[in-house]
Amino acid sequence: MKIYYEKDVNIDVLKDKTIAVIGYGSQGSAQAQNMAESGLNVVVGLRKGGNSWQTALDDGMKVLTMEEAAEVADVIHILIPDEIQAQVYEKSIKPGLKEGNTLSFSHGYNIHYQYIIPPENVNVTMIAPKGPGSTVRGQYLDGFGVPGLVAVHQDYTGNAHQVALAMGQGSGLTRAGVLETTFKEETETDLFGEQAVLCGGVTELIKAGFQTLVEAGYQPEVAYFETCHEVKLIVDLIYKKGFAGMWHDVSNTAEFGGLTRRERVITEESRKEMKEILKEIQNGKFAKEWALENQAGNPQLKRMRAIEDDLEIEKQGKKLRKLCGLEK
């Protein structure tokens, strides 16, 4: 695997170039501010009068409409939600694209599933921080950075790879290291991680553990601490020290119990379902399902959000997070 650091970057490829960051949410604000403070010429493209317009101005950014930003930019870095990128691209970005421009992303979704099909005379690149926007910004301000991924889908000018790496340096990613990947690999692994482990898998595991204890007659407050609150403590240990370091730091009882029982929770059936989830990502079934959901106005997502908000673990969590000083 190839990893790039600051010594591998030719920042001059962005000299006298204008980078338009489309969107000013968590990633947009972090990457735009980092690149601007690294000396790159950055404008922010937003919907006129939208929620982020004044925020970006208050942060000292030059703010234009998305159409204006696309027109003046040499690099157009799209950081709006996946589900609206294709529509915004067709309406506000595509008309302003010029030969030799770079169309840049931090997630390969719309290129990989061909919801956006760029012209052949532009670069198509990805520079993707492996961390939330708040961490991207915080690490940069602390003099370091989060790791990132770089990929080139289309290299029209012959230097698309260096353009992407230069943007990564501007955001602080090459301080930590930027790994080579492809749009396909980044998209499919990212979706799988979210669905099977990080968001879907973890929350269902926590919920099942909480319900098991409460149904057995234990206090919900105690069940919350044991199955949800302490997850962060364990994940932090794994993050810092790996599995072996985590096992070393917990009690011998916890280590023996965890190692001897974990495969009774994550069974062969669970692993088969993970493979099915991955297959649905690879063959585009999930992407089509998500597209139809958005076209219908997100009825399923709204219903599931309401159910999630009403869970007993959520009610206990709000109460106990206040007790721990995590919420006001």
Side-chain angles (χ1 to χ4, degrees):
M1 175 177 287
K2 179 65 176 176
I3 304 178
Y4 300 92
Y5 299 97
E6 297 206 320
K7 62 181 177 60
D8 302 308
V9 180
N10 176 19
I11 196 70
D12 287 341
V13 297
L14 291 178
K15 186 178 181 181
D16 302 324
K17 303 292 185 183
T18 298
I19 302 169
V21 174
I22 307 299
Y24 204 71
S26 176
Q27 284 291 344
S29 61
Q31 293 188 46
Q33 289 182 85
N34 288 3
M35 287 191 287
E37 291 173 19
S38 293
L40 301 179
N41 182 28
V42 177
V43 300
V44 175
L46 298 173
R47 181 169 52 86
K48 184 73 172 179
N51 294 335
S52 300
W53 187 279
Q54 190 59 48
T55 301
L57 288 174
D58 291 343
D59 287 341
M61 305 304 301
K62 181 178 180 180
V63 184
L64 305 172
T65 66
M66 288 185 281
E67 293 82 359
E68 292 168 339
E71 185 65 37
V72 303
D74 301 285
V75 179
I76 302 166
H77 192 36
I78 302 179
L79 295 178
I80 52 179
D82 295 329
E83 62 270 23
I84 63 171
Q85 283 188 15
Q87 180 183 357
V88 170
Y89 170 78
E90 290 293 332
K91 179 183 176 183
S92 303
I93 296 172
K94 185 177 178 180
L97 272 180
K98 297 175 287 294
E99 181 177 0
N101 280 175
T102 294
L103 197 60
S104 175
F105 301 83
S106 282
H107 183 32
Y109 190 95
N110 279 278
I111 294 295
H112 177 57
Y113 292 118
Q114 297 186 322
Y115 291 113
I116 293 176
I117 302 177
E120 295 181 356
N121 63 353
V122 301
N123 298 327
V124 182
T125 63
M126 176 170 56
I127 187 72
K130 296 311 294 177
S134 57
T135 305
V136 173
R137 182 62 176 154
Q139 291 277 58
Y140 178 89
L141 292 173
D142 288 341
F144 196 56
V146 302
L149 301 175
V150 64
V152 175
H153 176 75
Q154 192 167 285
D155 186 0
Y156 177 75
T157 62
N159 68 347
H161 193 264
Q162 277 297 325
V163 170
L165 284 177
M167 293 174 66
Q169 179 169 313
S171 286
L173 310 187
T174 51
R175 298 172 182 176
V178 174
L179 286 68
E180 187 90 54
T181 188
T182 64
F183 274 65
K184 171 182 168 63
E185 182 177 61
E186 186 277 336
T187 301
E188 294 177 355
T189 57
D190 186 75
L191 292 176
F192 177 80
E194 291 168 350
Q195 294 173 23
V197 182
L198 305 175
C199 302
V202 165
T203 52
E204 190 63 19
L205 181 64
I206 292 170
K207 185 171 69 174
F210 175 83
Q211 290 171 338
T212 299
L213 288 177
V214 172
E215 288 169 6
Y218 298 100
Q219 295 180 78
E221 294 86 354
V222 175
Y224 179 85
F225 278 123
E226 294 300 334
T227 62
C228 184
H229 179 81
E230 293 189 24
V231 169
K232 182 183 185 306
L233 307 180
I234 299 301
V235 170
D236 282 350
L237 284 175
I238 295 171
Y239 177 80
K240 293 175 183 176
K241 301 182 178 184
F243 285 174
M246 180 274 289
W247 291 126
H248 179 269
D249 281 11
V250 299
S251 70
N252 293 336
T253 307
E255 182 181 12
F256 179 78
L259 288 171
T260 57
R261 266 89 176 147
R262 61 183 180 180
E263 291 186 12
R264 291 167 60 181
V265 178
I266 306 301
T267 63
E268 276 306 308
E269 185 177 350
S270 304
R271 296 173 189 273
K272 286 178 183 178
E273 283 302 319
M274 284 187 175
K275 290 177 182 177
E276 283 300 310
I277 289 169
L278 180 57
K279 189 181 298 183
E280 291 172 3
I281 291 167
Q282 292 170 329
N283 64 24
K285 181 179 178 181
F286 169 76
K288 291 175 184 175
E289 183 182 335
W290 181 221
L292 289 172
E293 174 74 7
N294 280 284
Q295 289 171 17
N298 301 122
Q300 187 177 1
L301 181 59
K302 290 174 182 175
R303 178 180 61 82
M304 291 186 294
R305 282 174 177 167
I307 292 171
E308 201 80 355
D309 288 344
D310 198 44
L311 291 174
E312 178 65 19
I313 192 171
E314 280 295 273
K315 296 173 183 176
Q316 294 298 328
K318 288 175 183 178
K319 177 175 66 176
L320 294 173
R321 285 192 293 273
K322 289 180 181 179
L323 184 67
C324 297
L326 300 173
E327 287 185 7
K328 293 182 180 179

